[in-house]
Amino acid sequence: MGGLSMSFDNVLAHIDAEAIARDTLAFLRVRSETGAEGPGSAFLADLLRREGFDPVLDEVEPGRPNVYCRIPGAGGGPTLMFNGHTDTIPIGNSLPPGRDGDWIIGRGAEDMKGGLVAMVHAASALRKAGIALAGGLWLTGVIGHETPAGKKEGPRRLITRLRERDITADAIVIVEGPCALWTASLGSAIYRITISSPRGPIHTIKVPYEQNPASWLGRLLLEFEHLEREFASIPSHPLCGREQINVGMIEAGDYVNRLPTPIRVLGTWRWMPGKTQTRIRDTLASLCARLAEQSGLSFDFSLEATREPFETPASHPIIQAFSTAGERLTGHAPRQIGMALVGDANLFANEAGVPTLYYGPAHETAHSDHERVSLERLAHCAGMYALAAIGFCGVATDQASPAGSAAPS
Ligand SMILES: [Zn+2]
């Protein structure tokens, strides 16, 4: 272990916070809003080239490439992928790019150009320290992340590459989010339920209230309340909380004495790891069938934007690697957390089958007009990424000791 600890010291000595600040600020000055993020991908590719790496561009749509950069290992170790998105939400009224002491300010600072720069500096520090990892690294940036303008085109293209094994990875670390190991998220889907009367929008004088879709909307909402009570009575997931159903939109009626038909109810259903969307579909199907039979109305439903939950177990080597890195850097292993929020990890873990987690500088100002990121946190992340890469990928055996000989300069 002496060799590993020397490698750690050696690589940390090559992380330059001021250089991270300069690169992050330069990245923020490049406009790369979702849909027109080509310049952001180009910046990332240029930064990788400047650091001596060899990125390739994968044109997902004209002018909108993903960036993939393989850093081969010496052999005999697992492969780690770092990933982030090169698009930002619209700049809008965001503070212009700038620096104030420890803070780098501007759209994309926290979400997530800072993380991408930290990722590149981590790989660069490994190279400058002369550390040959046993397993390989992939540094990747994707387009089209931020919805609704983005349709996940970039993440989906990367998933295709992983499924076709053009790219292989044993774990993925997404370089954004809170400064903690985010290892689980609920699944989620938008549901849409349509209640309609076979009689159409006629005068309410002809239809008793108990046949009015509005009265059955009340019944439906009551059923949701029962479901919510049931969910609350089941033990919550220790990291990402309990199953939940909620309503966001109700569209009903257009005139005071016309039958309101159809009525549409839209909302979000979130469920815990261990359950799949099939169960949600089955529950909605039987609920709609029962209400249709009782009411004589039709109850139709659909699910959109479904994401299965993800959970990377605490025993996974990538979590072990981050724990060791955290102990070395801060004296303790990072906190393990979960979120109700869904993100690209839900896609990578379920659709590409690669265990995924997030570790980022912060999740505090993303999408606000005062977006900013702490430089100290970015440097911390760069250190964590480099040390976790050493722990996960391993160091080539002819280098393991004495580590001091690895320094080239
Ligand atoms: Zn983001």
Side-chain angles (χ1 to χ4, degrees):
M1 286 312 279
L4 194 59
S5 144
M6 300 262 292
S7 301
F8 279 7
D9 292 339
N10 196 9
V11 74
L12 290 174
H14 284 92
I15 288 173
D16 177 350
E18 283 306 314
I20 292 175
R22 279 193 301 275
D23 288 340
T24 302
L25 207 47
F27 203 169
L28 298 190
R29 293 200 169 103
V30 174
R31 200 180 178 98
S32 59
E33 296 171 346
T34 310
E37 58 280 80
S41 293
F43 181 93
L44 177 61
D46 286 343
L47 184 62
L48 286 160
R49 277 184 217 107
R50 189 197 74 190
E51 294 301 311
F53 302 120
D54 190 18
V56 295
L57 299 181
D58 182 5
E59 197 96 344
V60 180
E61 281 183 5
R64 302 178 63 203
N66 279 353
V67 181
Y68 314 136
C69 181
R70 177 168 177 260
I71 304 172
T79 300
L80 179 59
M81 174 181 289
F82 289 101
N83 173 265
H85 56 86
T86 61
D87 59 318
T88 71
I89 67 161
I91 290 173
N93 295 320
S94 174
L95 291 171
R99 178 160 177 195
D100 179 9
D102 181 55
W103 295 105
I104 313 285
I105 299 160
R107 173 67 68 232
E110 183 183 285
D111 184 13
M112 60 176 293
K113 291 176 170 177
L116 285 168
V117 169
M119 161 188 95
V120 176
H121 278 257
S124 188
L126 287 166
R127 193 179 54 77
K128 287 176 186 155
I131 291 169
L133 297 179
L137 290 180
W138 279 99
L139 309 185
T140 60
V142 294
I143 57 114
H145 161 89
E146 298 287 2
T147 54
K151 308 291 180 222
K152 300 289 181 191
E153 307 92 317
R156 288 196 185 286
R157 172 64 66 84
L158 179 56
I159 287 166
T160 303
R161 299 289 178 226
L162 287 161
R163 289 171 70 106
E164 290 173 353
R165 303 192 67 77
D166 298 328
I167 294 177
T168 58
D170 297 294
I172 298 174
V173 173
I174 301 178
V175 290
E176 74 169 325
C179 202
L181 281 176
W182 169 6
T183 59
S185 280
L186 297 180
S188 98
I190 296 168
Y191 67 82
R192 177 192 297 264
I193 297 175
T194 307
I195 313 170
S196 36
S197 166
R199 308 184 66 179
I202 57 174
H203 202 299
T204 48
I205 198 89
K206 299 179 194 294
V207 187
Y209 178 62
E210 76 254 24
Q211 293 170 21
N212 188 322
S215 130
W216 288 88
L217 168 66
R219 289 285 291 276
L220 176 69
L221 300 181
L222 213 55
E223 294 280 350
F224 283 177
E225 229 172 288
H226 295 154
L227 278 171
E228 263 291 299
R229 222 167 288 148
E230 188 187 316
F231 298 157
S233 72
I234 299 168
S236 296
H237 186 276
L239 295 178
C240 45
R242 71 168 175 87
E243 180 160 8
Q244 45 193 282
I245 185 167
N246 225 321
V247 175
M249 292 169 75
I250 295 176
E251 301 166 357
D254 60 5
Y255 199 72
V256 68
N257 57 13
R258 252 158 74 92
L259 196 67
T261 179
I263 292 180
R264 291 189 190 85
V265 183
L266 283 91
T268 312
W269 194 318
R270 300 180 189 275
W271 61 97
M272 295 189 282
K275 201 167 176 178
T276 67
Q277 60 161 301
T278 317
R279 299 265 300 278
I280 311 307
R281 250 173 226 288
D282 292 349
T283 306
L284 275 176
S286 70
L287 174 61
C288 285
R290 184 155 46 82
L291 291 176
E293 198 193 316
Q294 290 169 0
S295 64
L297 304 174
S298 68
F299 277 76
D300 300 306
F301 78 94
S302 62
L303 289 180
E304 295 153 33
T306 52
R307 302 274 187 273
E308 294 292 6
F310 91 94
E311 179 170 30
T312 299
S315 58
H316 193 278
I318 187 59
I319 295 182
Q320 300 302 311
F322 266 90
S323 296
T324 308
E327 278 156 15
R328 171 64 187 76
L329 259 184
T330 67
H332 55 84
R335 221 157 37 93
Q336 216 174 310
I337 61 162
M339 298 244 240
L341 270 181
V342 299
D344 291 349
N346 297 70
L347 296 176
F348 294 144
N350 287 292
E351 295 180 23
V354 184
T356 304
L357 59 78
Y358 301 85
Y359 190 92
H363 185 72
E364 286 154 19
T365 59
H367 295 212
S368 77
D369 287 337
H370 52 276
E371 196 177 338
R372 63 180 191 171
V373 71
S374 149
L375 175 55
E376 184 260 322
R377 286 276 186 85
L378 286 183
H380 162 82
C381 284
M384 287 292 281
Y385 300 152
L387 301 196
I390 294 175
F392 184 76
C393 303
V395 176
T397 42
D398 59 339
Q399 263 208 342
S401 63
S405 66
S409 50

